[in-house]
Amino acid sequence: MKIHPGFVGCDISKAHLDLFDGAVGVAERIANQAEAIAQRLEPWRHGDVLVVFEATGPYDRVLAQALTEAGIAFVRVNPARARDFARATGVLAKTDRIDARMLAAMAQTLRPAPRQPRSPERNRLAELHKRRDQLVAMRKQERTRRQGCSDEIADDIRETLAWLDIRIAALERTIQACIKASADLAGAEARLRSIPGVGPVASATLIALLPELGQRSPKTIAALAGLAPYNVDSGQFRGSRRIHGGRRRVREALYMAAVCAARIEQRFADAYRRMINAGKPPKVALIAIARKILVIANAMLRQRLSFNP
């Protein structure tokens, strides 16, 4: 497949980037450093260019920031989706240069919608939120390790847990300060917190990890959160509908909000009871409540309204 000018694929590793520019026609390697990236982006500033790369955690941060500052459109794709595209086009080999060319072909063939740049405040909030999740996971592991250990180890674990409690509380205060320092984030949090069941952790999760909230249709926002049921039908076979994909951490936060909302808010409690009486399993009913909360939150942020039962 010939890659036309304007489509760029980038394979990312910790030390370097492999770029395939349709205007050049061959892959090239540069250092994964701000100075080298800025120099390579210079020819793209005044053209119609779309850059596609796989989500690689912290290793794509410098590239994404440089592209945002340069005003160059880019798409950060799921690695599994990129691999599926490669298989569909018959590309079975996998090297950095092949992956870069494959991503450029994906950009040209699928024309994915460019990612909307996030504000520095939202980026900082996402980092703080991720760090809090890491410490909470560590605390959970330490609590599990207390079972069946000696008194000496138990004392050490107790000290570690006390330190983790302090650090998590400090991060939560920093997260709240980060939100309150931005009028947009503070307004969004106030509206989200007005929804029954949505507490400070759930609201911070939605703001940090679902920036599309309030800007997409109900079906699209449910799919992004992994709360959209997909059918599995073929011929005369009719399978059960199941949720699939999406952003797991957002889905987890909404699920816990649904558990709380089904207990404290009559509207959600009645919906939960109707589904249980109709024979739905409790988890399915709670997933439906979580999706309802998400759709309500999406409409509230779009219309800049607070929850009104």
Side-chain angles (χ1 to χ4, degrees):
M1 178 189 299
K2 178 178 174 56
I3 311 299
H4 299 292
F7 299 101
V8 178
C10 180
D11 184 77
I12 299 174
S13 66
K14 181 179 180 180
H16 55 258
L17 309 177
D18 286 277
L19 298 164
F20 187 94
D21 185 351
V24 178
V26 294
E28 56 184 311
R29 176 169 289 184
I30 64 172
N32 191 0
Q33 297 175 354
E35 184 178 347
I37 292 172
Q39 184 178 353
R40 184 60 187 88
L41 297 188
E42 194 60 37
W44 301 341
R45 285 178 178 270
H46 308 293
D48 185 12
V49 175
L50 175 64
V51 181
V52 172
F53 56 89
E54 294 178 349
T56 52
Y59 299 141
D60 62 36
R61 184 179 305 159
V62 177
L63 175 62
Q65 182 176 350
L67 289 168
T68 300
E69 293 174 354
I72 298 171
F74 68 94
V75 182
R76 191 171 181 260
V77 299
N78 188 319
R81 185 183 177 194
R83 199 67 233 149
D84 288 342
F85 176 84
R87 293 192 189 99
T89 55
V91 178
L92 302 182
K94 192 178 189 313
T95 68
D96 294 342
R97 292 177 180 270
I98 290 175
D99 286 352
R101 192 182 193 286
M102 179 271 298
L103 289 166
M106 185 178 183
Q108 178 176 280
T109 304
L110 301 183
R111 309 288 177 95
R115 176 179 173 176
Q116 295 297 321
R118 295 196 302 186
S119 65
E121 296 83 6
R122 201 180 289 268
N123 283 332
R124 178 170 179 254
L125 178 61
E127 289 187 353
L128 291 169
H129 181 275
K130 182 178 181 180
R131 181 56 180 164
R132 180 193 175 277
D133 278 354
Q134 290 170 345
L135 294 182
V136 169
M138 291 168 61
R139 183 171 62 182
K140 182 179 179 181
Q141 292 171 345
E142 287 294 283
R143 286 172 175 170
T144 302
R145 294 186 184 107
R146 284 188 302 187
Q147 309 302 320
C149 64
S150 66
D151 292 343
E152 181 181 9
I153 300 301
D155 289 341
D156 184 75
I157 290 176
R158 202 158 26 245
E159 291 180 9
T160 304
L161 286 172
W163 179 84
L164 286 170
D165 287 340
I166 293 171
R167 293 308 310 147
I168 291 170
L171 269 174
E172 289 174 346
R173 290 192 296 269
T174 305
I175 287 171
Q176 285 302 308
C178 177
I179 292 173
K180 288 179 169 53
S182 167
D184 289 340
L185 301 188
E189 191 207 28
R191 295 182 184 96
L192 291 172
R193 291 288 300 276
S194 70
I195 303 174
V198 177
V201 175
S203 62
T205 302
L206 291 173
I207 295 170
L209 305 184
L210 197 62
E212 299 89 349
L213 195 62
Q215 302 173 16
R216 302 293 180 88
S217 68
K219 289 184 178 179
T220 301
I221 206 70
L224 287 173
L227 290 172
Y230 294 97
N231 55 322
V232 183
D233 300 334
S234 180
Q236 296 182 352
F237 174 78
R238 293 294 179 269
S240 59
R241 275 54 176 160
R242 296 179 182 274
I243 59 174
H244 178 71
R247 300 172 192 175
R248 188 177 73 173
R249 184 64 184 90
V250 173
R251 184 168 62 252
E252 291 172 348
L254 287 166
Y255 184 85
M256 295 309 300
V259 171
C260 183
R263 296 173 180 170
I264 65 174
E265 168 59 38
Q266 189 64 39
R267 172 180 180 177
F268 296 121
D270 291 344
Y272 178 79
R273 197 176 305 109
R274 283 196 302 271
M275 286 183 279
I276 294 298
N277 293 338
K280 301 292 185 182
K283 189 172 183 179
V284 171
L286 288 172
I287 287 292
I289 298 297
R291 185 169 60 250
K292 187 183 293 291
I293 290 174
L294 178 62
V295 171
I296 290 172
N298 190 54
M300 284 169 44
L301 292 194
R302 183 175 59 248
Q303 301 174 24
R304 296 183 176 274
L305 299 174
S306 295
F307 182 79
N308 185 351

